[in-house]
Amino acid sequence: ADRVEAYLTAMASRNPAPAARTLNSHLQGIKTLCRWAVRGRLIPFNPLDGVMPRSEREKRIKRRPLTEGEVERLLAVAPTSPLVRARTLRKHQPSPERVQALLKEGAGTALTWRLLIFTGLRVGELGALRWGDLDLEARTLHVRAETAKSGKAAVLPLIGHLVEALRAWREKAQGQPGEAVVPTSRDMARRLRLDLKLAGIPYKDEA
């Protein structure tokens, strides 16, 4: 029981922290396994009977949307952010090849922020987005039912500057229909914090 509590506490301390419902789902799965073991007489009792689920009535953090000016600043710093960080941390000029790689990374990150901001896609939906889901001539984006959090397919409009950014990125990345539009990773939250800091935008509002 102590190890399970420690496991759930470690999960809750992650950034971003999972919802209480997610933690309870993990706990329920382990409890079910223990009940099966009791029925099979593999263990004498369920050691997790006393482990209580987390309260799911936790107060949700309300995050304000970025202002128009903040969006402009974020998108302005993102393309060169990896290069700026590399020069700051290593205190020397990267090789020409490394500079190009960092600028490509920054361009992908800028497009990621642009897509999230101007389409309303969730991170998981963006990660599942393929070039075949886009119709740049019709200026539409198709969210497939199997990748949508709602489980329902949707067609979203694309505004002009986003279409142009996607066209430029597709040409640079040589994007094919079955390939991901932008690379996503587990450190997106960390990269967002860094870009917000570089743009002079507070991650948290003053209470």
Side-chain angles (χ1 to χ4, degrees):
D2 290 342
R3 290 185 177 182
V4 172
E5 286 280 17
Y7 165 72
L8 295 174
T9 300
M11 282 190 66
S13 65
R14 291 177 182 174
N15 186 15
R21 181 175 297 180
T22 300
L23 296 175
N24 290 338
S25 177
H26 282 255
L27 175 60
Q28 186 59 42
I30 301 172
K31 281 187 171 182
T32 299
L33 180 62
C34 288
R35 284 196 293 269
W36 172 83
V38 171
R39 288 196 300 269
R41 297 184 178 181
L42 299 176
I43 55 177
F45 62 92
N46 189 338
L48 301 183
D49 280 341
V51 179
M52 303 302 294
R54 264 62 172 175
S55 172
E56 296 187 11
R57 291 188 173 183
E58 297 171 352
K59 183 179 179 181
R60 291 183 177 270
I61 299 175
K62 293 183 179 180
R63 302 189 186 279
R64 67 168 178 83
L66 296 178
T67 65
E68 184 177 342
E70 288 172 337
V71 169
E72 291 177 356
R73 282 153 52 195
L74 176 63
L75 297 179
V77 303
T80 57
S81 178
L83 180 58
V84 170
R85 294 200 302 272
R87 286 172 171 167
T88 302
L89 292 175
R90 300 186 180 182
K91 298 182 180 179
H92 66 79
Q93 177 65 36
S95 67
E97 294 78 11
R98 182 59 177 160
V99 168
Q100 291 304 312
L102 291 170
L103 289 176
K104 183 177 180 179
E105 178 187 338
T109 300
L111 182 58
T112 296
W113 303 153
R114 197 179 291 270
L115 280 164
L116 290 172
I117 292 169
F118 292 106
T119 66
L121 287 174
R122 296 178 174 87
V123 172
E125 293 168 339
L126 178 60
L129 188 66
R130 299 294 181 263
W131 284 108
D133 298 323
L134 300 176
D135 186 339
L136 298 184
E137 295 302 319
R139 298 190 173 193
T140 55
L141 180 158
H142 297 257
V143 181
R144 287 168 278 128
E146 62 269 25
T147 66
K149 184 175 182 179
S150 65
K152 298 179 181 180
V155 179
L156 305 178
L158 296 173
I159 57 180
H161 68 79
L162 188 50
V163 172
E164 295 307 314
L166 285 164
R167 282 178 175 153
W169 178 248
R170 183 174 62 181
E171 183 177 350
K172 179 181 296 186
Q174 298 293 306
Q176 300 301 312
E179 295 178 346
V181 175
V182 290
T184 56
S185 62
R186 298 181 65 179
D187 72 338
M188 283 183 64
R190 180 186 67 84
R191 287 191 286 136
L192 177 59
R193 285 180 183 239
L194 291 170
D195 283 0
L196 288 171
K197 182 177 180 180
L198 193 59
I201 303 169
Y203 181 74
K204 293 182 178 180
D205 292 333
E206 294 295 333

